[in-house]
Amino acid sequence: MDFVAIDFETSTSNFTSVCSLGICVVENNIITDRKEILIKPEPFEFNDYNIKIHGITADMVANKPTFDKYWPWLKPYLDGKTVIAHNADFDVGALCSTLQLFNIPLPTFSYLCTVKLSQKAYPELSSHKLNKLCNALNIRFHHHRAYDDAYACARVLLRILEDYSLLDLNEIEECFEMEIGHITPNTIIKCRKNKKKQKKSKKISETAVAH
């Protein structure tokens, strides 16, 4: 299976305050590329809580490009691909919000949340936070470093594919009855842990029609 794992770190609670991005590229179930970039957030603000989590300070990114400057380089990694993230509501939300801030059209890709997926794959675990999950699966990484978090996320999906003998996104969706997320320039369809059940249309019998 081919996919790209991403992880954002932010300087504040604002989705657009991305200050770091990690990327892990997987081709035919093999990790082929890993990258991390530092980003000057918009707005250029940091709070102590976020710094304590990821260790990135204002001085480290003051002279780095803003996200829009990176986009021509980043877009080919995502457009038309399968994108995964651990807690994708946050990472895909940060991506979409930041692109919208800079008036950049959204790319087109399918996406999957490995938090939701791991909850279905390993329901016996008491926690599905990335560090606890990876500890249970014996995946070693440095938590809250975008470079390593993206790698760990990729390793989680690869492990699930192996444990359940799955080949692609369609098989994941069918096996776990999840709803895959989809992003296009005009739509945002969220990844859901459980597929929405189709409502059956009720046929009104002739005898039930009031005259």
Side-chain angles (χ1 to χ4, degrees):
M1 181 174 169
D2 298 344
F3 60 88
V4 178
I6 63 170
D7 180 81
F8 281 104
E9 301 294 338
T10 58
S11 61
T12 70
S13 60
N14 193 321
F15 264 14
T16 66
S17 68
V18 294
C19 59
S20 178
L21 169 63
I23 301 172
C24 185
V25 179
V26 175
E27 298 174 293
N28 195 25
N29 287 3
I30 296 173
I31 294 173
T32 59
D33 197 8
R34 294 172 67 187
K35 297 184 184 300
E36 183 174 17
I37 56 174
L38 292 177
I39 304 162
K40 184 177 181 179
E42 182 63 41
F44 186 57
E45 300 172 351
F46 278 76
N47 66 39
D48 292 340
Y49 177 78
N50 290 59
I51 293 172
K52 186 176 181 180
I53 289 175
H54 51 58
I56 300 170
T57 64
D59 289 345
M60 293 169 65
V61 298
N63 296 318
K64 297 296 182 181
T66 51
F67 188 81
D68 56 318
K69 302 299 192 299
Y70 281 113
W71 183 240
W73 165 82
L74 176 60
K75 184 180 178 182
Y77 281 95
L78 307 178
D79 206 22
K81 305 294 175 55
T82 295
V83 177
I84 71 166
H86 205 71
N87 188 14
D89 285 346
F90 172 80
D91 295 287
V92 173
L95 172 68
C96 293
S97 294
T98 305
L99 289 172
Q100 290 166 346
L101 174 71
F102 289 107
N103 294 314
I104 299 172
L106 300 181
T108 296
F109 60 82
S110 299
Y111 80 91
L112 179 66
C113 175
T114 52
V115 172
K116 294 179 174 67
L117 178 60
S118 63
Q119 288 170 343
K120 302 291 283 278
Y122 308 113
E124 71 280 5
L125 297 180
S126 59
S127 174
H128 296 84
K129 291 182 178 180
L130 189 57
N131 58 332
K132 300 290 182 62
L133 175 63
C134 286
N135 185 55
L137 299 179
N138 199 27
I139 298 170
R140 298 186 180 278
F141 76 114
H142 192 161
H143 197 24
H144 289 307
R145 300 296 182 268
Y147 177 85
D148 260 19
D149 282 4
Y151 163 78
C153 178
R155 287 285 308 275
V156 166
L157 180 53
L158 289 172
R159 175 65 179 271
I160 293 172
L161 292 173
E162 179 182 357
D163 286 350
Y164 284 83
S165 301
L166 302 173
L167 298 176
D168 55 33
L169 201 60
N170 290 331
E171 290 193 1
I172 292 172
E173 188 173 32
E174 182 177 349
C175 177
F176 296 107
E177 297 184 338
M178 291 183 65
E179 189 170 320
I180 303 302
H182 298 281
I183 303 295
T184 74
N186 300 312
T187 58
I188 297 176
I189 300 174
K190 289 190 174 184
C191 173
R192 299 181 185 275
K193 185 176 176 180
N194 300 299
K195 272 192 172 183
K196 286 183 177 179
K197 291 184 178 180
Q198 297 284 343
K199 291 183 178 180
K200 293 182 179 180
S201 58
K202 295 181 179 179
K203 186 177 180 180
I204 302 175
S205 64
E206 291 183 4
T207 56
V209 178
H211 293 286

